[in-house]
Amino acid sequence: MLFTIQVNNKKIKAEKGETILSALNRNGIKIPTLCRMKDFSPTGACRMCVVEVEGRDRLVTACSQPVEEWMKIKTHSPRVITARKTIVELLLSNHPDDCLYCDKKLNCELQRLAEELNIRERRIKARKIKPRLDQSSPAIVRELSKCILCGRCVRVCEEVVTANSLDFIRKGSLTHVGPAMDRDFNFSSCIHCGQCVMMCPTGALHEKHNIAEVQDFLNNTEIVKVIQYSPLVASGIAEELGIRFNRDFDRILNSMLRRIGFDKVFLTGTGTDICIYELAEQLGRNIEKGDVKPLYISACPAWVKFAEQFIPGILTNLSTIKSPQQITGVLIKTLIADQAGIKPEKIFSVSATPCMAMKFEARRDGMMRKGISDVDSVMTVRELARLIRLYGIDVSNIEPEPADEPMAGRSSAASLAEVSGGMAEAVIRTTHFLKYGIEPDKQLMKRLRTGGSFREITVMFEGKEVSVAVIDSLTGLAKLKALVDAGKHYDLIEVMTCPGGCINGAGLPFSFSGSDRKNRVKMIYQADEVDAVNLPCKSPLLNNLYNKFINENKEIADKKIFHTHFEKRNVLL
Amino acid sequence: MNTEIDSILKKYKPGRRDELIPLMQEIQDVNGHLSEEAIVKIGNYIGLSTTKIYGLATFYDQFRFIPAGKIRVTVCNGTSCFLNGSKAVINAIRELTGLQPGQTARDGIFSYEIVTCMGGCNNGPVISINDEYYPYVKPEQIPELLNKLKFIIEND
């Protein structure tokens, strides 16, 4: 039901039941918000969105107040603006003010609010928050002095990630956000997905930087510098550098990386292809044996840690195949080292990825061979963009180049794996193709792509029903558990921690907006329609890699290097 | 200790969060503090993460996470006691023991904490030692008071 309300002496249409804020936004009136998160229930904690409603003594929060028919609202009256300004001034009163060195410097919401509200001097002085730096996690750094206690990280960890690793500790001026028993991150149940980093309006939570380390090695002439990057990296870099992304940008990125000083550039996508192929073979064997055990895909490192902590019962069903990054990494340290005749310890292998948990994964037990880690350093897209800027690479003036053989290409299915549901789709399609030489029904496959946090389909294999489940963000696990408890059986289960898959990964630029992401997903799906090599098994490159390199190499022909192990973790849950 | 926590837990309904605070109070009454083990057990029993339980418990001054000393002093720092000079009392204790509020001395004899009100507002500053209340405390009295108690405990 639509009715009219008066805002700033103008009439606008509002819908019954919506909040003042949503009515205002729909009518093109912008008011600042801080603690508000899209698609979350409002808390009204920060009071940034206050407006004046005629007839009410106090200012009301637009984000939580339902709109009513009689309302006459003023969004930018002197009283409202003073209130908002004071709120920001109070937030700034104990802020460390080290904006020049801060990780969030150009993306800080607090800084933007201070600018928007025209704060030009420090009017309120308070004692600074005692600095406390938690660098214990391999992926996330926590700087408590910069925290403004908006609670967004706490809510995202509870409602989206369901790991419940963060909460407010103590009260009053001693309040801070932290894990159980006020410990550091490495002892907590944090799964390093980094969704809290994406939510943090200030620099209180940010990724752990590896730029300095990578730079050191880039300057070392005795070391062979190798980089691999995920399918989403190119679009992320384009966004961060402010260039229009097209499908050819991968090749431009290759030559940028070579100019920085990397000797070899490989695609993580080839690793994804191997991962999909190995999983498809395993699933095919399971189906033939009539195995009743489900196969959980373990490509998402945050999900793996989540399983190790919260549901150790399924660890035996978790696929032991490493994630694409680690597969590519181990191939670099074995195959490429052999091929080029260099010792693996003389290779410095970097991975660029949209994922933050990969930083943790590279340090996992079992991701090492003879004391040499598969991947030496993991960089997020944001870090890589910084590195590119640091080396002053002019993007407009650069010749596209191909990546290095033998990991120079990927099937469109490998890009599909960056979107939730894509990995399962690619695996089931490959299994079907390997068995029958044709792909299963496309419309059926599309049902894995959209439709809530839990999606399922059933594919027929020689009269046998093969059920596939896709969990899009960990909230879907509750439904899976309910269905499995009720006796439902699934053969293949894909779990992605970040909502929507890696496309919402915590390593992507902060400026990567929702519509950009949707566009990128659309491009991935379109590419899958038109690409000739839409499955790993159709890729001549992968066949070549398997036949000429992997099967010929005695050391790795048993494919043991593609496997890892998992164990129960003892952390405070 | 294990069985004590378990037997307390059994009095409460599993999976219910609404009685979390009485449950924690009861465990603290028996154990003297909320140990990590107790928090994990409570979490498993009522289905809440330890982070959330710890976050809630730290909100209240009454919960402590390390064992209290044999002499357990609580100093009121509410508005009324503050105006009557509780800060000087706190400073006297701090100087004498070298401890921060909420800490316990290494020998386990002494611990002190600051609370916001003990309900003796017209008798301030109020302190309580092992749940016995002392009104109108002056900072000069603190050393004598503590030494007396220490003597009693050591010769007990």
Side-chain angles (χ1 to χ4, degrees):
Chain A
M1 195 184 86
L2 279 175
F3 54 80
T4 325
I5 56 165
Q6 208 176 0
V7 178
N8 301 340
N9 297 325
K10 265 188 178 173
K11 284 190 175 121
I12 66 162
K13 287 259 185 279
E15 217 167 295
K16 199 179 160 68
E18 71 177 340
T19 59
I20 297 178
L21 185 69
S22 98
L24 292 178
N25 282 350
R26 207 157 24 79
N27 288 285
I29 303 164
K30 269 177 79 179
I31 49 173
T33 56
L34 187 57
C35 71
R36 177 175 172 267
M37 294 151 83
K38 227 183 146 199
D39 304 327
F40 283 77
S41 52
T43 54
C46 72
R47 323 301 292 178
M48 192 57 64
C49 61
V50 284
V51 292
E52 204 175 340
V53 177
E54 220 178 277
R56 290 276 178 97
D57 287 348
R58 293 181 183 181
L59 300 175
V60 298
T61 46
C63 68
S64 58
Q65 180 73 38
V67 69
E68 281 167 66
E69 214 167 337
W70 49 269
M71 277 180 172
K72 284 181 182 164
I73 298 166
K74 282 189 186 126
T75 59
H76 289 85
S77 68
R79 188 179 163 204
V80 170
I81 288 180
T82 311
R84 284 183 197 147
K85 202 168 167 178
T86 311
I87 293 165
V88 177
E89 281 177 325
L90 282 168
L91 287 175
L92 291 172
S93 68
N94 60 6
H95 205 70
D97 282 358
D98 65 343
C99 296
L100 280 173
Y101 310 99
C102 182
D103 194 77
K104 269 274 177 77
K105 53 192 138 186
L106 298 169
N107 299 302
C108 177
E109 280 180 45
L110 187 63
Q111 201 179 40
R112 212 186 56 226
L113 280 172
E115 168 59 31
E116 276 173 12
L117 290 162
N118 194 27
I119 293 170
R120 285 287 170 272
E121 60 181 328
R122 183 182 280 278
R123 202 159 58 88
I124 307 164
K125 279 199 181 84
R127 198 187 296 160
K128 300 263 185 288
I129 310 165
K130 204 172 146 204
R132 181 171 157 193
L133 189 62
D134 173 5
Q135 303 203 64
S136 64
S137 155
I140 302 170
V141 178
R142 194 163 56 112
E143 285 186 51
L144 288 178
S145 58
K146 288 178 187 167
C147 178
I148 57 167
L149 303 172
C150 64
R152 288 182 2 184
C153 51
V154 176
R155 287 166 73 203
V156 79
C157 197
E158 182 176 353
E159 292 174 36
V160 174
V161 185
T162 69
N164 278 320
S165 302
L166 289 170
D167 198 9
F168 292 108
I169 295 170
R170 307 197 69 172
K171 65 164 175 249
S173 61
L174 297 170
T175 319
H176 57 278
V177 171
M181 305 309 286
D182 208 0
R183 293 223 182 125
D184 283 345
F185 262 142
N186 57 341
F187 292 115
S188 76
S189 59
C190 171
I191 56 172
H192 310 298
C193 67
Q195 285 301 312
C196 52
V197 173
M198 295 309 273
M199 285 300 166
C200 186
T202 67
L205 288 164
H206 60 82
E207 75 259 50
K208 193 165 203 171
H209 291 295
N210 290 336
I211 297 183
E213 181 191 53
V214 172
Q215 248 181 293
D216 276 353
F217 278 97
L218 282 173
N219 295 335
N220 190 336
T221 47
E222 287 170 12
I223 296 276
V224 178
K225 283 83 71 179
V226 180
I227 189 167
Q228 53 161 312
Y229 65 88
S230 302
L232 276 178
V233 171
S235 52
I237 293 286
E239 167 68 34
E240 189 80 357
L241 299 180
I243 318 154
R244 236 184 106 80
F245 173 71
N246 56 29
R247 284 196 74 190
D248 214 30
F249 196 76
D250 271 20
R251 285 150 53 81
I252 293 174
L253 184 62
N254 293 336
S255 75
M256 281 201 275
L257 293 172
R258 288 205 181 98
R259 283 203 195 175
I260 289 174
F262 288 104
D263 301 312
K264 300 244 182 201
V265 180
F266 296 114
L267 299 188
T268 311
T270 315
T272 319
D273 276 341
I274 295 174
C275 186
I276 293 167
Y277 188 78
E278 295 288 328
L279 276 166
E281 280 199 326
Q282 201 173 340
L283 182 67
R285 281 197 298 273
N286 280 3
I287 294 169
E288 247 167 53
K289 271 195 295 182
D291 206 333
V292 288
K293 275 195 232 135
L295 181 66
Y296 285 87
I297 297 177
S298 62
C300 174
W303 147 244
V304 170
K305 186 162 190 260
F306 187 88
E308 285 178 322
Q309 291 171 178
F310 294 93
I311 25 179
I314 63 140
L315 287 183
T316 45
N317 300 334
L318 205 57
S319 150
T320 57
I321 293 161
K322 288 179 183 174
S323 73
Q325 169 189 286
Q326 298 303 124
I327 289 181
T328 317
V330 77
L331 282 178
I332 288 170
K333 288 288 173 88
T334 51
L335 208 73
I336 307 301
D338 272 8
Q339 209 185 18
I342 27 178
K343 284 184 183 154
E345 55 262 40
K346 288 279 174 203
I347 295 181
F348 182 69
S349 167
V350 183
S351 163
T353 140
C355 178
M356 209 169 270
M358 292 279 187
K359 280 173 183 281
F360 154 77
E361 188 187 32
R363 300 268 172 280
R364 272 184 70 100
D365 189 34
M367 298 301 182
M368 217 181 225
R369 244 178 114 257
K370 296 174 187 166
I372 298 159
S373 48
D374 296 349
V375 176
D376 294 303
S377 193
V378 180
M379 294 175 102
T380 59
V381 177
R382 295 192 292 268
E383 286 174 85
L384 185 64
R386 274 187 189 163
L387 196 70
I388 290 171
R389 275 196 225 109
L390 181 71
Y391 279 82
I393 311 283
D394 180 11
V395 195
S396 55
N397 212 345
I398 210 159
E399 281 299 307
E401 286 172 16
D404 280 293
E405 294 287 337
M407 290 185 278
R410 55 168 178 254
S411 65
S412 65
S415 310
L416 216 56
E418 301 282 341
V419 187
S420 170
M423 192 84 174
E425 181 183 335
V427 171
I428 198 83
R429 265 165 52 184
T430 311
T431 317
H432 201 276
F433 188 84
L434 287 175
K435 213 165 169 69
Y436 302 112
I438 49 157
E439 285 189 39
D441 181 27
K442 269 198 175 137
Q443 290 309 317
L444 182 66
M445 286 297 125
K446 277 184 183 158
R447 277 169 44 198
L448 282 179
R449 294 179 181 179
T450 46
S453 61
F454 180 86
R455 317 192 268 268
E456 56 176 326
I457 58 162
T458 306
V459 189
M460 297 303 284
F461 274 83
E462 289 170 347
K464 269 186 238 166
E465 282 185 355
V466 173
S467 300
V468 186
V470 168
I471 315 284
D472 181 355
S473 91
L474 298 172
T475 44
L477 281 172
K479 189 157 185 208
L480 175 77
K481 189 173 179 292
L483 283 165
V484 169
D485 285 348
K488 180 96 174 104
H489 169 71
Y490 292 99
D491 297 274
L492 183 70
I493 301 167
E494 180 208 284
V495 187
M496 286 275 189
T497 305
C498 299
C502 307
I503 193 82
N504 278 316
L508 286 166
F510 294 117
S511 52
F512 212 43
S513 70
S515 59
D516 286 338
R517 287 171 210 266
K518 272 189 198 135
N519 266 337
R520 188 74 189 96
V521 173
K522 223 161 128 191
M523 280 175 83
I524 289 174
Y525 286 147
Q526 272 168 5
D528 188 56
E529 296 288 324
V530 295
D531 233 342
V533 186
N534 63 353
L535 284 181
C537 47
K538 291 184 192 168
S539 155
L541 204 123
L542 194 73
N543 285 333
N544 187 33
L545 188 67
Y546 262 109
N547 295 334
K548 270 207 185 136
F549 295 102
I550 295 173
N551 294 341
E552 291 294 305
N553 195 321
K554 270 182 209 141
E555 217 186 344
I556 59 172
D558 58 359
K559 294 182 190 169
K560 264 192 191 143
I561 54 162
F562 293 156
H563 293 265
T564 181
H565 57 87
F566 311 107
E567 53 199 293
K568 188 179 183 307
R569 259 169 214 277
N570 277 325
V571 290
L572 285 178
L573 297 182
Chain B
M1 198 109 108
N2 275 338
T3 47
E4 272 170 6
I5 297 172
D6 289 336
S7 59
I8 295 169
L9 283 174
K10 268 184 204 130
K11 293 190 215 161
Y12 293 83
K13 289 186 197 114
R16 289 283 295 272
R17 300 169 181 197
D18 35 3
E19 284 182 297
L20 176 57
I21 290 175
L23 170 59
M24 289 198 294
Q25 281 170 331
E26 199 173 335
I27 289 180
Q28 173 154 303
D29 280 347
V30 174
N31 280 355
H33 70 290
L34 287 176
S35 62
E36 197 179 299
E37 184 200 3
I39 292 179
V40 171
K41 278 196 169 169
I42 297 170
N44 286 339
Y45 192 75
I46 65 165
L48 201 60
S49 83
T50 41
T51 318
K52 297 281 163 194
I53 295 173
Y54 183 76
L56 180 85
T58 50
F59 184 85
Y60 299 99
D61 285 332
Q62 57 173 302
F63 294 114
R64 47 184 311 129
F65 305 94
I66 46 172
K70 281 178 187 153
I71 306 173
R72 190 172 143 254
V73 181
T74 318
V75 190
C76 181
N77 198 25
T79 315
S80 185
C81 289
F82 177 78
L83 289 173
N84 282 324
S86 64
K87 207 82 199 168
V89 177
I90 293 169
N91 284 341
I93 298 176
R94 185 179 293 163
E95 267 171 37
L96 196 72
T97 61
L99 295 176
Q100 294 294 322
Q103 285 181 336
T104 304
R106 289 208 179 163
D107 55 10
I109 291 187
F110 186 80
S111 70
Y112 86 98
E113 58 209 75
I114 296 171
V115 296
T116 324
C117 189
M118 304 206 295
C121 297
N122 53 355
N123 310 325
V126 182
I127 71 170
S128 93
I129 300 176
N130 293 354
D131 295 328
E132 198 176 314
Y133 292 90
Y134 294 77
Y136 309 113
V137 179
K138 291 190 175 64
E140 305 89 69
Q141 300 170 334
I142 296 289
E144 200 196 321
L145 202 62
L146 292 183
N147 282 336
K148 212 161 72 187
L149 281 159
K150 205 169 173 182
F151 183 78
I152 296 171
I153 282 187
E154 275 168 0
N155 294 298
D156 197 12

